[in-house]
């Protein structure tokens, strides 16, 4: 599908508009775009939900949340922004609600004949509602348009809980919405450094010639959090770290960093190469999975000198839950470029540090005369840091001043969001910008969803067959010590736990 320009007139309808995601991420991101003059000229916003009884109550709730989460909040600017926000109490299963929705949208469009072509339905709802919502939208004529690529329907993560549910939800949705009009969210694709991976790889002669098994020893993809499950206990206890993080965010980062160079940078070509990676993920062997996977669950501990409770004591969590809140996985990609290169993925909650990064460790290739002065810490390392800082650093070796034969690792470091007065657009700001103009490179295709679920399901099945234990770890630590041993057995270390060296 060709990328379109952002239309001047647009109606955005958010199902689940009263939920925490909408209040803490979606509307604040739209507000930030409004402040920067990046919203369509005539954009109307409609929140749908059951929590608030009237529009005034809803707008006050949005304002209070925005004030808490936005550093650039201004009461005057928010009031101007919120003039185009309206609210409708809504039950996803009530056909009367869809009739009223159609009437409201026609009134907003000021048209006696038909609805505006530029409609976006954003489903910030649980996936089991996707089929019902799209079916009723179609039944009441809300998915009809004479213009190609409209209306657009957005589906929030997760798209399913396993392959079977994802296939079922996709079949339900595709009965009413063509693939080219579907936008499946993975907000990591909106993060600045994730988008920068292509430029780092393909716009620098320094990297692409050595981006293969001959020069790379291993790649680590890490996303850790200090926070617990917050208000997502009911969902998270059914999902766990493997389904919540690895199936989506971490595998997306893996695909971006390992895909073959696309013919061009169109969404179609990028997706094609990413899908090839998902298809090439080697299924784990149940007989060897204990050497490739570590699962854990946090118990009570301390983070930033504050006591935090155990996972099983969190709201809406079963007291005997065996859901993993930590996962470390070693995997392989069956391709010529990446043959025998191990990939290590790690994610967890209630760890000592919030961090997301991709770490590329290059093969040691030193002159024989210098090898005796080097140690494992002297590896050449490329770090692409996604959060909290955004940037790139390259670790290489140099002579230590004043020491004739002493070689030390040093860093060249670029921090994108460390610049004074620089505000990097938030992920959802980028997601909305791409959505308005129809850029599907920031969204996931069904084939990506399908093959990533196939892989995660195979890992989960192998873990169950091998009876992989859920290891307890104290909140505020690095996670189970077994995760360190996972790499130690291969003669490697997690580079997020190795100190940084002096910048140059």
């Amino acid at each position: 599908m060709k990328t379109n320009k952002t239309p001047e007139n647009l109606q955005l309808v958010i199902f689940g508009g009263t939920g925490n995601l909408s209040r803490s991420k979606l509307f604040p991101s739209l507000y930030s775009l409004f402040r920067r003059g990046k919203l369509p000229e005539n954009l109307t916003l409609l929140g749908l939900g059951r929590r608030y009884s009237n529009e005034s109550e809803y707008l006050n709730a949005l304002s209070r949340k925005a004030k808490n989460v936005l550093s650039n909040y201004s009461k005057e600017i928010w009031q101007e922004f919120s003039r185009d926000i309206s609210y409708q109490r809504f039950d996803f299963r009530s056909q009367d609600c869809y009739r009223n929705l159609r009437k409201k949208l026609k009134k907003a469009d000021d048209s006696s004949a038909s609805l505006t072509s530029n409609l976006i339905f954003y489903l910030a709802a649980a996936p089991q509602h996707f089929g019902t919502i799209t079916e009723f939208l179609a039944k009441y004529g809300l998915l009809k348009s004479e213009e190609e690529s409209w209306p657009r329907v957005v589906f929030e993560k997760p798209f399913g809980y396993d392959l079977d549910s994802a296939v079922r939800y996709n079949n339900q949705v595709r009965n009413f919405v063509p693939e080219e009009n579907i936008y499946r969210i993975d907000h990591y694709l909106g993060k600045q450094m994730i988008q920068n991976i292509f430029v780092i790889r393909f716009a620098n002669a320094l990297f692409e010639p050595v981006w293969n098994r001959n020069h790379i020893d291993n790649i680590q993809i890490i996303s850790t959090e200090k926070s617990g499950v917050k208000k997502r206990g009911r969902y998270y206890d059914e999902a766990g770290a493997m389904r919540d993080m690895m199936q989506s965010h971490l595998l997306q980062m893996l695909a971006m960093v390992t895909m073959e160079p696309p013919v061009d940078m169109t969404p179609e070509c990028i997706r094609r190469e990413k899908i090839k990676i998902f298809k090439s993920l080697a299924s784990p062997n149940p007989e060897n999975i204990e050497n490739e996977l570590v699962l854990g669950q946090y118990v009570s501990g301390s983070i930033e000198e504050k006591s935090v409770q155990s996972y099983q004591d969190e709201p809406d969590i079963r007291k005997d839950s065996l859901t993993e809140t930590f996962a470390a996985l070693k995997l392989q990609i069956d391709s010529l470029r990446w043959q025998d290169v191990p990939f290590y993925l790690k994610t967890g909650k209630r760890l000592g540090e919030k961090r997301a990064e991709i770490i590329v460790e290059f093969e040691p290739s030193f002159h024989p005369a210098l090898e005796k002065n080097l140690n494992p810490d002297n590896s050449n390392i490329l770090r692409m840091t996604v959060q909290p800082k955004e940037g790139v650093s390259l670790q290489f070796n140099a002579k230590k001043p004043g020491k004739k034969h002493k070689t030390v690792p040093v860093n060249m470091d670029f921090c994108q969001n460390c610049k004074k007065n620089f505000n990097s657009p938030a992920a959802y700001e980028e997601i909305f910008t791409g959505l308005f103009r129809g850029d599907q490179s920031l969204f996931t295709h069904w084939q990506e969803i399908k093959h990533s679920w196939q892989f995660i399901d195979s890992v989960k099945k192998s873990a169950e067959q091998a009876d992989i234990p859920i290891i307890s770890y104290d909140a505020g630590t690095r996670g189970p010590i077994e995760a360190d041993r996972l790499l130690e057995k291969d003669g490697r270390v997690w580079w997020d736990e190795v100190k940084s060296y002096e910048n140059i």
Side-chain angles (χ1 to χ4, degrees):
M1 185 186 74
K2 294 182 179 179
T3 298
N4 303 316
K5 293 182 179 179
T6 300
E8 292 184 359
N9 302 303
L10 198 151
Q11 295 185 73
L12 173 60
V13 181
I14 300 179
F15 288 80
T18 60
N20 186 61
L21 176 69
S22 294
R23 290 180 293 117
S24 63
K25 296 290 186 182
L26 304 188
F27 281 100
S29 295
L30 290 165
Y31 165 82
S32 294
L33 289 172
F34 178 80
R35 279 196 66 132
R36 296 194 285 122
K38 298 297 184 181
L39 286 183
E41 185 173 344
N42 298 308
L43 171 68
T44 59
L45 305 170
L46 172 59
L48 307 178
R50 295 187 295 179
R51 181 173 302 179
Y52 304 105
S53 59
N54 57 65
E55 188 166 285
S56 176
E57 186 181 348
Y58 178 59
L59 293 176
N60 287 336
L62 291 182
S63 178
R64 288 195 302 271
K65 191 68 172 181
K67 187 175 181 179
N68 289 335
V69 302
L70 288 168
S71 60
N72 61 353
Y73 178 85
S74 162
K75 182 178 179 180
E76 292 74 20
I77 297 176
W78 177 269
Q79 288 176 342
E80 184 180 356
F81 163 69
S82 63
R83 289 171 187 165
D84 293 318
I85 301 175
S86 58
Y87 173 66
Q88 179 180 334
R89 293 201 78 181
F90 203 92
D91 184 336
F92 299 155
R93 298 161 296 183
S94 168
Q95 296 193 47
D96 286 340
C97 287
Y98 293 88
R99 293 190 191 96
N100 294 334
L101 174 61
R102 178 177 174 82
K103 293 177 183 177
K104 192 175 186 72
L105 292 175
K106 286 186 68 177
K107 184 178 180 180
D109 189 38
D110 195 24
S111 168
S112 59
S114 63
L115 298 168
T116 180
S117 299
N118 302 329
L119 265 171
I120 296 177
F121 297 103
Y122 195 119
L123 276 59
Q128 60 265 30
H129 299 302
F130 291 169
T132 300
I133 294 172
T134 51
E135 178 183 357
F136 286 150
L137 286 175
K139 181 176 181 178
Y140 290 96
L142 293 165
L143 296 180
K144 292 181 180 179
S145 175
E146 296 179 358
E147 288 193 36
E148 185 182 5
S149 82
W150 295 95
R152 295 169 183 165
V153 185
V154 185
F155 298 94
E156 257 296 344
K157 168 184 173 293
F159 199 91
Y161 300 100
D162 54 19
L163 178 60
D164 288 345
S165 62
V167 169
R168 183 169 65 255
Y169 298 145
N170 190 64
N171 290 340
Q172 292 170 350
V173 167
R174 286 297 309 277
N175 285 330
F176 310 104
V177 189
E179 179 67 33
E180 59 268 24
N181 290 10
I182 293 175
Y183 293 73
R184 299 178 188 85
I185 292 285
D186 186 326
H187 74 270
Y188 262 49
L189 298 181
K191 291 182 178 292
Q192 291 296 300
M193 283 308 303
I194 298 297
Q195 297 177 53
N196 212 354
I197 291 173
F198 288 135
V199 178
I200 292 168
R201 283 190 60 186
F202 304 129
N204 294 290
L206 176 66
F207 294 123
E208 187 58 25
V210 296
W211 212 258
N212 54 60
R213 63 189 178 96
N214 297 320
H215 300 282
I216 290 178
D217 178 81
N218 73 90
I219 294 180
Q220 301 176 17
I221 299 176
I222 297 162
S223 181
T224 59
E225 302 175 79
K226 290 182 179 180
S227 63
V229 296
K230 298 180 180 178
K231 297 181 180 180
R232 301 169 69 227
R234 189 171 288 107
Y235 155 73
Y236 194 91
D237 207 34
E238 295 295 327
M242 293 288 293
R243 292 182 173 125
D244 184 54
M245 291 294 293
M246 282 206 178
Q247 181 272 334
S248 52
H249 303 329
L250 272 69
L251 289 186
Q252 281 292 327
M253 288 193 283
L254 175 70
M256 301 277 273
V257 82
T258 59
M259 59 182 272
E260 293 296 321
V263 173
D264 55 44
M265 291 299 169
T266 60
E268 293 82 4
C269 288
I270 292 171
R271 283 175 161 182
R272 190 177 302 124
E273 298 305 328
K274 287 168 65 181
I275 291 168
K276 289 178 183 178
I277 291 296
F278 291 125
K279 289 182 176 180
S280 301
L281 296 175
S283 297
N285 183 346
E287 296 180 0
N288 195 46
I289 190 69
E290 63 182 11
N291 296 314
E292 298 173 343
L293 178 66
V294 174
L295 301 176
Q297 184 186 100
Y298 64 83
V299 295
S300 60
S302 176
I303 296 178
E304 296 179 348
E305 299 183 351
K306 294 182 179 179
S307 297
V308 296
Q309 62 189 355
S310 70
Y311 173 74
Q312 294 184 9
D313 290 327
E314 298 274 16
D316 298 321
I317 301 298
R318 294 166 293 170
K319 297 304 179 183
D320 60 348
S321 175
L322 294 177
T323 298
E324 79 283 356
T325 61
F326 176 97
L329 174 68
K330 174 184 176 181
L331 62 83
Q332 302 277 340
I333 295 176
D334 289 334
S335 71
L336 181 61
R337 179 186 288 260
W338 299 113
Q339 183 179 355
D340 297 326
V341 176
F343 295 85
Y344 301 102
L345 279 58
K346 179 170 68 172
T347 185
K349 289 190 175 295
R350 286 296 189 209
L351 298 178
E353 186 176 14
K354 179 179 180 178
R355 177 191 293 265
E357 63 183 348
I358 299 167
I359 302 170
V360 181
E361 179 178 359
F362 292 91
E363 286 279 2
S365 182
F366 309 125
H367 191 285
L370 296 174
E371 281 190 351
K372 63 182 180 180
N373 297 318
L374 298 170
N375 59 57
D377 286 355
N378 290 88
S379 296
N380 294 153
I381 302 292
L382 176 67
R383 294 176 184 262
M384 291 173 275
T385 304
V386 178
Q387 64 182 24
K389 293 182 178 180
E390 301 169 356
V392 185
S393 68
L394 179 63
Q395 176 180 303
F396 61 99
N397 298 307
K399 176 181 173 297
K400 186 171 184 178
K403 302 290 185 179
K404 184 175 182 181
H405 300 296
K406 183 66 173 178
T407 303
V408 295
V410 294
N411 276 340
M412 286 195 301
D413 190 17
F414 163 68
C415 179
Q416 179 170 270
N417 60 346
C418 293
K419 298 178 182 178
K420 187 177 181 181
N421 298 324
F422 178 84
N423 290 314
S424 181
Y428 273 100
E429 293 177 44
E430 291 292 287
I431 292 294
F432 275 121
T433 301
L435 174 62
F436 295 154
R437 68 171 182 259
D439 180 2
Q440 291 203 334
S441 66
L442 300 180
F443 302 84
T444 55
H445 189 273
W446 163 241
Q447 291 297 321
E448 298 175 62
I449 299 284
K450 173 185 173 182
H451 290 288
S452 61
W453 271 127
Q454 280 182 335
F455 175 72
I456 291 299
D457 281 1
S458 70
V459 175
K460 297 278 288 184
K461 182 178 180 180
S462 294
E464 291 171 2
Q465 291 175 349
D467 198 21
I468 298 296
I470 306 294
I471 303 166
S472 296
Y473 64 94
D474 292 340
T477 63
R478 301 201 312 262
I481 192 66
E482 285 79 2
D484 295 336
R485 294 170 183 158
L486 183 72
L487 272 69
E488 288 172 1
K489 287 182 287 189
D490 295 341
R492 300 184 175 96
V493 297
W494 290 106
W495 280 99
D496 65 316
E497 297 169 5
V498 176
K499 67 176 182 178
S500 298
Y501 292 92
E502 181 181 356
N503 293 345
I504 65 168

